[in-house]
Amino acid sequence: MASRDGPGPIIDTEPVPDEFSFGPFRVVTRARLLERDGTPTSLGSRAFDLLCILVNRPGEVVGKAELMAKAWPGLTVDESSLRFHITQLRRALGDSQDGAPYVANVPGRGYCFVAQVGRAASPPKQAFLGEGTPNPHLPVGPARIIGREADIVALIDRLTARRFVTLRGPGGIGKTTLAVAVAHKIGNRFRDGVRFLDLCSLKDPQHVVFAVASALGMFVPAGDPSSRLIESLKDRQILLVFDSCEHLVEGVARLAEQIYQHASSVSLLTTSRESLEVAGEFVLAIAPLESPPENLGSKAELAKYPSTRLFVECAVAAGRSPPFTDAEAKIIGRICRKLDGLPLAIELVASRLSAHGLIEIDELIEGRLRLAWRGRRTAPLRHQSLSAALDWSYELISPAERSLLESLSVFPGQFTLQGASALASDSHEPKETTGVLEQLIAKSLVSSRPKAGQPLFRLLDTTRAYAKEKLAASGAANAAGLRHAKYVHQALTPRSYEPGGERPGGWAHRAELLSDARAALGWAYSDAADYDPEFQISLASVCARLFVELNLLEECRVWAGRALAVSENALKDGATKVELLWAFGHAAMSTARSSKESEAALWRGLKLAQEIGDLQNQFRLLSRLHALHRRTGDPRSLLEVSLLAEAVAIEIDDPAALARAQSFLGDAYHLSGDQRRAWELQQAGAAADAAIPNLPVDHFASPRGAQNLSCTNLWLLGFPDQAIAVANRLAEPSSNSDLVLYCGGLCFAARIYHWVGELSRLEEVIDRLENYSRKHRFGPLLTGSRALRGVLHVALGAVDEGVKLLQPGLLGMIADRFEVHSGPVAIALAEGIAALGRPADALASINARIDATAAAQGDSWEMPEFMRVRGELRARNGDSSGAEQDFLAAMDLAERQSALSWRLRAASSWVRHARYGEAAAMAVAELQRTYERFEEGFDTADLRAARDLLQR
């Protein structure tokens, strides 16, 4: 921004352009601003003067004596001072693109600016910051207005067309600045000029007329002076600016309407926190400065948004030396969002950088300090701090408006009319609340905007902080917190999982209650709240549902866990406890580990649901237990819960539940190794789902979940192309709004892409899986994504990197009980170890996996592949007989499981290692028969490899 040393004058008889540009720099002379790539650069006053002198005469050597005379007018200085400031200038500018300095030293003569300079035409230089000749009837014009270019154009257009415009907005939004800037720009269009009236010092509305008359140099008699004033204005062409009208709104409104109606050559520009609501008035609402989104990328983006540009300029003016780092840019963006893009707030906070660091300021503005920080001593009292600006508004509203404003500060963000009514004091009727709210909106203390046909309201963050202080001081904060928590509880309770209830997916429009749910829980479990365990637990229960639907499972786990930790005797409602146990088990399984704690919570919930006869929640809990045991890869437990789910579905007699129960059973048979039976059940479940019109109740499970294992089932059965089609659907980002199920689908899609050799697609889904898992803190899935990346590295030949990921990844997946996806990891690890020249270690590794799997699951669905890989490693270790036994055993087991693709792999391995005699002929014949059983997938990796073997 401007220099830190003060705005020292530049004495020059030559016309000096308003702007220069060279390289990445821009110089605005009258604003004394130096920018690099749109970001203000700090430069001392004398160095700035020297830059302007030199850049105005590019390519010309300017003598040292002349430079000192112009930069230090009337003073005698030593040449060392000149050298010092030239050095400072060079350091600020750096070198040009060709590596040469912008300012060259010409020995014995002086200095020369050597870069190409662009100029903007300008009138002869004036030593002030306003436009043109100073107007004695106006405050000094602003040096530069950031982010209001469109507002200035709109205001000039409206004022020209309508004659009477009110700038409306909350305190600190920049109404006065904008009005003064426009008055300077267009004041010369009016024959009789412009008059500016700062009304903030007036107390009596009757005095407005006298203030206008005084500004016009008129004497008006006592009594009713309005008619005399109007009569004198009829022949004048003038712009009257009435600033800060909100405390005198009745008096200003009457006079402004009279002037508009009877003095047709007079234009009126008023600024107020509420509209005047009179004939002829056009209201122009001033919006906050645009702030960057949460994903602000780098410091270069600071210049794109008016709020951050203003912050940077004010910070530089306060002594903060640029440039800012990318990390600091993110903090600046966050600060500007917290300040709602309010110019006064940004200026006051940025000015504190001389005393605090950015991180400290970011933390401090969460409290009351931002309200107390003071700005310019010369500013009007109401603009010297945010607290003063809000005091000004607060003192102008009625007791009922103050009470409602304070209660509304409990809302952390947007709220509805129903919410406002719920937060109003018990003494307020709904109709009365509506009227009071309308007054707060009219007075710019509450903002309103429609969304989906329903108005939504909010307090600016600074207003909320101020009102919250007033609420605490009144002693009513606890009562308001309770009303808010009850409102949240009531708003979420109707979203039930009972038959005919709304689908969980229908909660999407309730997402606006998220911040309220967090605030309500924070209050209910705080020391400030009255201890009511029944309400605490019930509130946590309804909020847990919302967290699940919005994929905020870590929050769900924490709050459900806290509620369950409350004394058992405090909970009388069994259905509420069932809900909490379901939520905790589901969330813990997805975010922490599929641990015994998660499983125990689900079984406890199931037992309680059985005791109270809650069939719907029995099915929901069984669906979570099904998901848990599917992830652990435990087919026996999976079959047990699937059969229980089938029995409950029959009792419920709900077609959706019956369809899903069939899919559950299909998953159980798939993991136990009966691929044909699995396919039949999964197809029956899918067909039953498709036959249900609109799926009216989907609280049991997601139909997409049945597709996860169906893709691997299809591949094993010998339908690679169909498996790829299902995997592609699972990998679509919009395929499932339930992110846990979606990430589970990505894991199965990754298997298919690995098996068919589409490694680029494998990398895509691993990237997506890792990003989602990290963002939503899905711990087991994040571990799985890293292990799968190790699988990818080995497949690509980067064995060292792969093994480094696979070793901890496999241990982590076992610890997380994520075994269903650990098979490919164990195989890739063994193959990687062998590729590193340690075949014996590799063989020991796969043997350990086979023994563990056989002990836990028997002949599981992956056993044929484990045996084939062991055969490959035995052959590498010189055990040809053992290798052949493994290949034959793998083929036999694959045949019994209807796993044609496993059989093809085992036959291909046998051909590769049975090189001579009758064994080789038998192997080739077996591979030929297996290959001929395929009807599709001939371009996938295994079938291409088999075809090449047969051709050789």
Side-chain angles (χ1 to χ4, degrees):
M1 196 178 168
S3 71
R4 285 182 279 168
D5 299 90
I10 306 173
I11 306 301
D12 200 344
T13 58
E14 304 170 24
V16 178
D18 283 344
E19 293 186 13
F20 297 98
S21 62
F22 57 91
F25 292 96
R26 172 173 168 260
V27 181
V28 184
T29 54
R30 287 183 297 159
R32 300 187 65 77
L33 173 70
L34 173 64
E35 288 184 338
R36 182 185 187 118
D37 293 325
T39 301
T41 298
S42 179
L43 189 62
S45 177
R46 301 298 181 192
F48 187 87
D49 293 345
L50 292 168
L51 173 62
C52 290
I53 296 166
L54 291 167
V55 82
N56 195 35
R57 295 157 67 178
E60 181 181 341
V61 178
V62 183
K64 296 177 182 178
E66 182 181 356
L67 286 170
M68 288 188 287
K70 290 181 176 180
W72 287 271
L75 299 176
T76 302
V77 296
D78 188 82
E79 189 177 314
S80 61
S81 296
L82 175 63
R83 288 196 299 271
F84 172 79
H85 289 288
I86 289 290
T87 301
Q88 295 297 105
L89 175 59
R90 282 175 160 175
R91 182 174 297 136
L93 298 179
D95 294 337
S96 61
Q97 289 185 346
D98 58 8
Y102 285 101
V103 178
N105 178 20
V106 182
R109 296 179 61 191
Y111 296 92
C112 176
F113 194 86
V114 296
Q116 185 175 357
V117 176
R119 300 169 182 248
S122 164
K125 183 181 176 185
Q126 303 289 333
F128 56 85
L129 301 180
E131 285 203 8
T133 304
N135 190 322
H137 301 295
L138 286 174
V140 175
R144 189 180 182 209
I145 299 182
I146 295 176
R148 296 298 189 199
E149 296 80 3
D151 291 324
I152 290 174
V153 172
L155 177 54
I156 292 174
D157 288 346
R158 295 293 183 273
L159 198 55
T160 302
R162 306 294 290 266
R163 288 181 42 231
F164 183 5
V165 177
T166 293
L167 291 176
R168 188 186 69 196
I173 199 71
K175 302 182 295 295
T176 301
T177 299
L178 190 55
V180 171
V182 167
H184 274 286
K185 280 184 173 292
I186 65 172
N188 59 5
R189 299 183 187 180
F190 298 87
R191 183 184 66 240
D192 297 303
V194 59
R195 297 294 187 275
F196 181 91
L197 292 94
D198 183 355
L199 303 180
C200 67
S201 61
L202 297 185
K203 304 297 182 184
D204 189 342
Q206 301 297 326
H207 292 166
V208 174
V209 176
F210 295 99
V212 177
S214 175
L216 294 171
M218 293 174 51
F219 173 77
V220 293
D224 182 11
S226 301
S227 58
R228 178 78 176 271
L229 176 63
I230 300 300
E231 189 65 29
S232 70
L233 285 172
K234 286 182 179 179
D235 297 327
R236 297 203 187 195
Q237 186 189 33
I238 194 170
L239 171 63
L240 297 178
V241 182
F242 295 168
D243 187 43
S244 300
C245 302
E246 52 273 347
H247 64 304
L248 304 168
V249 66
E250 297 295 335
V252 175
R254 285 194 300 270
L255 178 62
E257 185 176 60
Q258 289 178 313
I259 293 173
Y260 175 77
Q261 290 176 336
H262 300 292
S264 59
S265 296
V266 176
S267 294
L268 296 163
L269 175 57
T270 66
T271 74
S272 178
R273 300 185 188 188
E274 63 177 302
S275 307
L276 302 184
E277 298 182 354
V278 294
E281 178 190 32
F282 181 90
V283 177
L284 188 62
I286 306 303
L289 297 177
E290 184 186 2
S291 295
E294 293 186 8
N295 59 348
L296 177 69
S298 66
K299 59 186 178 183
E301 294 184 45
L302 289 174
K304 295 181 181 179
Y305 302 95
S307 63
T308 50
R309 288 210 312 272
L310 176 61
F311 187 97
V312 169
E313 290 201 10
C314 293
V316 172
R320 173 60 159 85
S321 299
F324 292 95
T325 66
D326 289 345
E328 289 174 325
K330 292 181 185 296
I331 297 174
I332 291 172
R334 185 163 61 246
I335 290 172
C336 290
R337 287 193 299 274
K338 289 180 181 179
L339 298 174
D340 290 300
L342 204 65
L344 176 61
I346 292 170
E347 291 172 7
L348 293 175
V349 170
S351 68
R352 309 310 296 179
L353 273 178
S354 58
H356 304 284
L358 268 175
I359 295 177
E360 187 179 7
I361 281 181
D362 186 30
E363 295 171 350
L364 288 174
I365 62 172
E366 295 291 349
R368 76 166 313 278
L369 278 179
R370 62 170 157 182
L371 300 174
W373 280 337
R374 302 191 67 81
R376 293 180 292 112
R377 292 186 176 90
T378 56
L381 180 62
R382 69 186 187 280
H383 287 165
Q384 288 187 7
S385 71
L386 291 174
S387 184
L390 289 162
D391 281 339
W392 176 265
S393 292
Y394 188 79
E395 295 301 324
L396 297 175
I397 60 178
S398 68
E401 291 164 355
R402 292 178 187 178
S403 175
L404 182 59
L405 180 68
E406 291 166 7
S407 295
L408 294 178
S409 69
V410 178
F411 283 112
Q414 294 179 336
F415 55 90
T416 61
L417 179 58
Q418 292 82 1
S421 298
L423 263 289
S425 171
D426 295 336
S427 62
H428 287 88
E429 294 294 329
K431 290 184 178 178
E432 182 183 352
T433 299
T434 302
V436 175
L437 180 61
E438 288 174 352
Q439 287 300 309
L440 292 174
I441 295 169
K443 295 170 182 177
S444 301
L445 288 167
V446 174
S447 62
S448 171
R449 68 179 182 87
K451 182 179 180 182
Q454 173 179 261
L456 292 177
F457 311 97
R458 73 181 293 264
L459 276 64
L460 296 180
D461 283 350
T462 48
T463 305
R464 183 182 301 111
Y466 178 89
K468 191 168 285 188
E469 279 194 5
K470 294 292 186 182
L471 180 65
S474 71
N478 204 35
L482 178 59
R483 289 197 297 273
H484 177 256
K486 286 183 175 179
Y487 162 70
V488 172
H489 184 273
Q490 184 275 333
L492 292 178
T493 297
R495 269 57 193 172
S496 69
Y497 285 96
E498 297 176 3
E502 292 196 32
R503 300 172 60 180
W507 283 34
H509 68 285
R510 309 297 291 176
E512 67 268 15
L513 285 171
L514 175 60
S515 57
D516 289 286
R518 290 165 170 164
L521 286 168
W523 175 85
Y525 284 81
S526 70
D527 295 335
D530 293 331
Y531 183 65
D532 184 354
E534 274 293 323
F535 180 70
Q536 285 180 322
I537 295 168
S538 185
L539 179 65
S541 172
V542 297
C543 290
R545 301 179 188 178
L546 183 64
F547 291 144
V548 169
E549 291 300 325
L550 297 178
N551 298 298
L552 300 171
L553 299 186
E554 179 63 20
E555 285 187 78
C556 178
R557 182 184 68 82
V558 169
W559 286 111
R562 288 189 66 174
L564 288 169
V566 175
S567 172
E568 292 283 341
N569 297 329
L571 190 58
K572 300 174 183 177
D573 184 3
T576 299
K577 187 171 183 180
V578 167
E579 181 71 36
L580 284 170
L581 288 165
W582 177 90
F584 178 81
H586 169 66
M589 175 177 63
S590 304
T591 59
R593 289 181 172 176
S594 304
S595 62
K596 295 296 182 183
E597 185 180 21
S598 171
E599 185 177 356
L602 294 172
W603 281 112
R604 283 173 59 204
L606 178 61
K607 182 179 179 182
L608 183 55
Q610 289 169 339
E611 290 174 0
I612 63 177
D614 186 345
L615 292 172
Q616 282 73 29
N617 271 316
Q618 287 179 45
F619 196 92
R620 290 176 63 223
L621 286 154
L622 286 165
S623 73
R624 288 298 87 202
L625 284 164
H626 170 271
L628 172 67
H629 292 301
R630 185 176 65 186
R631 285 173 54 173
T632 62
D634 182 355
R636 294 167 184 163
S637 298
L638 190 61
L639 183 58
E640 177 188 352
V641 297
S642 297
L643 290 170
L644 286 172
E646 183 183 42
V648 173
I650 292 171
E651 191 171 355
I652 295 174
D653 195 25
D654 182 281
L658 288 166
R660 287 160 182 73
Q662 286 184 303
S663 297
F664 293 168
L665 284 167
D667 291 346
Y669 283 110
H670 174 47
L671 294 187
S672 63
D674 190 343
Q675 302 307 323
R676 182 63 56 187
R677 179 64 176 147
W679 182 81
E680 291 170 353
L681 287 164
Q682 287 174 349
Q683 291 302 303
D689 260 342
I692 303 171
N694 300 322
L695 285 176
V697 182
D698 71 351
H699 51 260
F700 301 120
S702 167
R704 291 273 183 181
Q707 293 186 358
N708 288 357
L709 271 72
S710 70
C711 66
T712 51
N713 175 240
L714 284 166
W715 184 84
L716 289 170
L717 286 167
F719 302 109
D721 290 343
Q722 294 180 51
I724 292 171
V726 175
N728 289 342
R729 289 197 296 271
L730 292 173
E732 291 173 2
S734 59
S735 67
N736 201 325
S737 59
D738 186 326
L739 285 180
V740 172
L741 283 173
Y742 175 67
C743 288
L746 288 179
C747 292
F748 284 100
R751 275 190 180 244
I752 297 300
Y753 295 138
H754 181 217
W755 285 341
V756 301
E758 293 192 13
L759 299 185
S760 61
R761 293 301 307 274
L762 173 60
E763 186 171 16
E764 287 177 18
V765 296
I766 290 173
D767 289 342
R768 201 171 299 155
L769 176 63
E770 186 172 0
N771 289 336
Y772 277 118
S773 300
R774 181 180 291 108
K775 179 180 179 181
H776 293 276
R777 303 175 70 179
F778 297 160
L781 287 160
L782 182 59
T783 300
S785 70
R786 291 168 177 165
L788 287 174
R789 195 171 298 280
V791 173
L792 175 63
H793 282 319
V794 170
L796 291 170
V799 179
D800 284 326
E801 294 87 343
V803 170
K804 289 177 183 177
L805 290 171
L806 290 166
Q807 287 175 327
L810 182 59
L811 293 174
M813 293 177 81
I814 293 171
D816 289 347
R817 300 182 69 196
F818 204 39
E819 286 105 327
V820 73
H821 295 294
S822 65
V825 178
I827 289 171
L829 178 60
E831 291 175 339
I833 293 172
L836 292 175
R838 295 155 47 200
D841 292 340
L843 183 58
S845 174
I846 201 66
N847 270 327
R849 177 68 187 210
I850 289 173
D851 292 343
T853 301
Q857 305 173 21
D859 289 339
S860 77
W861 68 301
E862 292 179 300
M863 188 60 77
E865 179 69 350
F866 291 150
M867 296 169 68
R868 181 196 70 82
V869 172
R870 184 173 66 180
E872 292 274 359
L873 293 173
R874 280 179 166 174
R876 182 173 293 195
N877 279 276
D879 184 4
S880 300
S881 176
E884 184 174 339
Q885 290 177 9
D886 276 334
F887 297 146
L888 292 172
M891 290 166 56
D892 179 63
L893 182 56
E895 185 67 33
R896 285 188 278 118
Q897 292 185 351
S898 301
L900 185 60
S901 290
W902 284 153
R903 182 178 177 83
L904 181 73
R905 285 191 167 191
S908 296
S909 291
W910 189 20
V911 169
R912 277 192 293 270
H913 294 285
R915 299 181 180 278
Y916 306 105
E918 184 179 352
M922 292 174 61
V924 171
E926 192 61 51
L927 178 59
Q928 181 72 45
R929 283 193 294 272
T930 305
Y931 181 84
E932 290 173 353
R933 290 166 65 183
F934 281 86
E935 300 176 0
E936 63 176 59
F938 296 106
D939 286 333
T940 58
D942 287 349
L943 286 159
R944 288 198 308 268
R947 186 165 58 246
D948 290 344
L949 282 171
L950 292 170
Q951 289 174 352
R952 289 201 301 268

